[in-house]
Amino acid sequence: MSNEIGDEELENFYQKVKRDIEESGYHLNPDVEFTKYLLKNILLNEQRYGYGACPCRLAADNKEEDLDIICPCDYRDPDLNEYNTCYCGLYVSGDILEGKKKLQSIPERRPSPKEREQSKSEERSIISSLDIPVFRCSVCGYLCARQEPPEVCPICKVSKERFKRFI
Amino acid sequence: MSNEIGDEELENFYQKVKRDIEESGYHLNPDVEFTKYLLKNILLNEQRYGYGACPCRLAADNKEEDLDIICPCDYRDPDLNEYNTCYCGLYVSGDILEGKKKLQSIPERRPSPKEREQSKSEERSIISSLDIPVFRCSVCGYLCARQEPPEVCPICKVSKERFKRFI
Amino acid sequence: MSNEIGDEELENFYQKVKRDIEESGYHLNPDVEFTKYLLKNILLNEQRYGYGACPCRLAADNKEEDLDIICPCDYRDPDLNEYNTCYCGLYVSGDILEGKKKLQSIPERRPSPKEREQSKSEERSIISSLDIPVFRCSVCGYLCARQEPPEVCPICKVSKERFKRFI
């Protein structure tokens, strides 16, 4: 297996990711060259490690430990809500796309290895998931458990402000 | 900014709305001319008010107050369940589309300004959302909180009768 | 009404089913001839009974009684999780598609008529749904109530291992 990604493979991956995420109301960075550079590194990580680890973070070469940073990472959506971009700049908010906000560099949200270790053992003892609020789309009733509602409802495409806290 | 909607803009909007909603199992009124007339008025409302208020209701020119009638409105799905159409006739049920039911005029479900004011203050004091039942798709496990299940499951496309009350 | 399915009708049905299920992260059996044979029998069942009963099971010619085996049946997803295929072999897992697993014949998961009768009366008296766990996608917060998470998240397309038990 050679560590090379062909142009066609990259183009197909780009098209598939773009289609998949737009269906759910997400957006890729409109800078196609930069976006493809990131996607290429995800494909390379898939060859190296067997999983598509985040192209901007150091992977542990251990899938179990890196589950949270397989792209899209567990931090994408909180970062989109707070900073209008994911850590890498691969995913951006609609406000960035429409030029209402500007891309900025953002801090790392992933907990340190020590904190991750700790929260793992906590998860075993208590049901920490109950801390995550559940939001409901007022139009279609879609339910999701997140710190904030998504930018648009993945089912009926209405915007964030139509969600209400449900639980 | 002129209050004009170009033919191409309208056509693009029509195609986008149609694609988005069909993916989730909804249907536009098959009378394309009438449907485009309604969509044009939504685009005009977007120009006037900054949000796409319902084309058949009087907007307050205040987004916060009109969140429930930004199209698709909060009343679309209950109206589709009960009357096979939304208030405007923009969205219709599968039964209408297949000629099993006929379009009829329907009463206004939106509460009066006074009632809306009252329910807003109630929301602040109690968690009224617990009155909304949660339904589960028996096939894929999709959960949604609505008065009745959707016409088809937006995830696996099975029909309404495959949903069961979950909570 | 003649019990015949035209080639074009079958092709359209095949394309529609394929598109719908791939959007949600499911896969049809890659043996197109076999798959179309099954789909043809679903269409024939629709003509005979008025609903698309499973092509590999004996239908009761009573929609109410057969709701659980209208394709996709209530047993598809548990069977995909446990055996990498549904009862008929119409739906297969990604592992089958990629050649990592082989198709095998699988046991019938549908309860016997007597058991179904019993569980129906139980449903009326207790809320049995609370036995079904709710899973949450760590990336997008999608919630679903199933025995196991889906192969991929229908909203953000991450794989099964990114789901965590939520309730």
Side-chain angles (χ1 to χ4, degrees), chain A residues 18-79:
Chain A
K18 194 171 158 63
R19 197 172 54 240
D20 276 356
I21 71 162
E22 287 181 351
E23 267 169 21
S24 309
Y26 292 89
H27 320 280
L28 284 181
N29 192 317
D31 180 340
V32 178
E33 202 181 337
F34 173 72
T35 296
K36 284 191 176 172
Y37 168 78
L38 292 174
L39 291 178
K40 189 173 187 172
N41 279 288
I42 293 172
L43 288 175
L44 284 170
N45 283 344
E46 220 159 66
Q47 288 187 355
R48 271 181 216 130
Y49 308 123
Y51 54 92
C54 172
C56 310
R57 284 167 171 129
L58 195 62
D61 201 359
N62 176 326
K63 193 175 180 179
E64 183 74 21
E65 269 181 54
D66 282 344
L67 271 184
D68 60 326
I69 57 159
I70 294 177
C71 184
C73 69
D74 288 9
Y75 315 106
R76 179 189 64 174
D77 287 23
D79 279 339

Side-chain angles (χ1 to χ4, degrees), chain A residues 23 136-143 154-159 161-162 164-167, chain B residues 20 23-24 26 63 67-68 70 72-74 76-77 123 129 132 142 144-146 154:
Chain A
E23 267 169 21
R136 173 184 180 269
C137 171
S138 302
V139 175
C140 72
Y142 175 69
L143 296 173
I155 303 301
C156 73
K157 317 293 182 196
V158 297
S159 64
E161 60 232 356
R162 308 293 290 276
K164 284 190 185 144
R165 178 86 182 251
F166 187 67
I167 300 175
Chain B
D20 277 354
E23 267 168 22
S24 309
Y26 292 89
K63 193 173 182 182
L67 271 184
D68 60 325
I70 295 176
C73 69
D74 289 9
R76 179 189 64 173
D77 286 24
E123 254 171 52
S129 67
I132 306 174
Y142 175 69
C144 53
R146 309 162 43 106

Side-chain angles (χ1 to χ4, degrees), chain A:
Chain A
M1 177 169 49
S2 90
N3 274 4
E4 280 297 324
I5 307 295
D7 285 351
E8 199 187 329
E9 184 184 357
L10 180 57
E11 180 64 28
N12 289 344
F13 186 52
Y14 170 73
Q15 294 297 343
K16 187 190 176 332
V17 170
K18 194 171 158 63
R19 197 172 54 240
D20 276 356
I21 71 162
E22 287 181 351
E23 267 169 21
S24 309
Y26 292 89
H27 320 280
L28 284 181
N29 192 317
D31 180 340
V32 178
E33 202 181 337
F34 173 72
T35 296
K36 284 191 176 172
Y37 168 78
L38 292 174
L39 291 178
K40 189 173 187 172
N41 279 288
I42 293 172
L43 288 175
L44 284 170
N45 283 344
E46 220 159 66
Q47 288 187 355
R48 271 181 216 130
Y49 308 123
Y51 54 92
C54 172
C56 310
R57 284 167 171 129
L58 195 62
D61 201 359
N62 176 326
K63 193 175 180 179
E64 183 74 21
E65 269 181 54
D66 282 344
L67 271 184
D68 60 326
I69 57 159
I70 294 177
C71 184
C73 69
D74 288 9
Y75 315 106
R76 179 189 64 174
D77 287 23
D79 279 339
L80 280 172
N81 277 328
E82 195 168 342
Y83 301 106
N84 291 284
T85 173
C86 74
Y87 186 57
C88 294
L90 178 60
Y91 289 85
V92 300
S93 75
D95 279 354
I96 294 281
L97 213 65
E98 292 161 25
K100 292 182 192 163
K101 294 265 169 70
K102 283 209 165 174
L103 269 182
Q104 48 177 329
S105 75
I106 69 167
E108 169 62 293
R109 181 185 293 272
R110 190 189 198 197
S112 69
K114 203 176 152 184
E115 289 166 323
R116 292 204 301 278
E117 203 47 54
Q118 206 176 333
S119 85
K120 224 188 248 174
S121 56
E122 274 167 11
E123 253 172 53
R124 276 175 209 128
S125 54
I126 59 153
I127 300 170
S128 64
S129 68
L130 292 180
D131 297 335
I132 306 174
V134 174
F135 288 95
R136 173 184 180 269
C137 171
S138 302
V139 175
C140 72
Y142 175 69
L143 296 173
C144 53
R146 309 162 44 106
Q147 291 307 332
E148 284 185 55
E151 185 182 303
V152 306
C153 172
I155 303 301
C156 73
K157 317 293 182 196
V158 297
S159 64
K160 186 176 179 168
E161 60 232 356
R162 308 293 290 276
F163 277 83
K164 284 190 185 144
R165 178 86 182 251
F166 187 67
I167 300 175

